[in-house]
Amino acid sequence: MTGPDPHVTQRPLPTAAPDTCSHGAPMLSVQGLTTHLELRRGMVRAVDGVDLHVNQGETLGVVGESGSGKSMTILSILRLLPRQGGVRLGGKVLLDGVDLLQLPEKP
């Protein structure tokens, strides 16, 4: 029987930050997010009523079928949609309590 390797230093694994839901609001909270695109052929509801919450220390993975709106949802949250055309965002995207959709756009 062999003992622990004297050349290996064992360190405790880092722990995730405490769950902020029990102490306050999540770090990121998306409530009723909608993204509607006005195209020549009519209005497209690219994102329609997305809700999600991410607490500090958590990781969120977004999965779904091709064309289900994963990229449009994330681009909408980050406000990285193309400016040309009619893009209408709705709902709330709260990052540490600040609604990103209410911030002015930079030119």
Side-chain angles (χ1 to χ4, degrees):
M1 186 163 134
T2 62
D5 187 340
H7 302 289
V8 175
T9 304
Q10 292 184 347
R11 296 181 206 155
L13 293 172
T15 57
D19 183 358
T20 57
C21 276
S22 61
H23 299 50
M27 185 178 66
L28 174 67
S29 178
V30 177
Q31 304 165 6
L33 180 65
T34 60
T35 304
H36 297 173
L37 309 172
E38 292 186 34
L39 306 175
R40 282 182 239 152
R41 64 179 188 255
M43 185 180 65
V44 174
R45 293 181 184 186
V47 177
D48 199 17
V50 170
D51 293 323
L52 61 91
H53 305 283
V54 181
N55 297 314
Q56 185 175 347
E58 288 184 335
T59 301
L60 173 70
V62 180
V63 297
E65 294 181 18
S66 177
S68 64
K70 302 174 300 292
S71 295
M72 287 300 293
T73 298
I74 301 306
L75 290 172
S76 298
I77 291 170
L78 297 173
R79 293 179 60 181
L80 292 176
L81 296 169
R83 292 183 185 204
Q84 60 271 30
V87 175
R88 292 188 296 170
L89 294 174
K92 291 184 178 184
V93 176
L94 302 172
L95 179 63
D96 289 331
V98 176
D99 190 349
L100 301 182
L101 299 185
Q102 298 302 313
L103 295 176
E105 288 190 31
K106 290 185 177 180

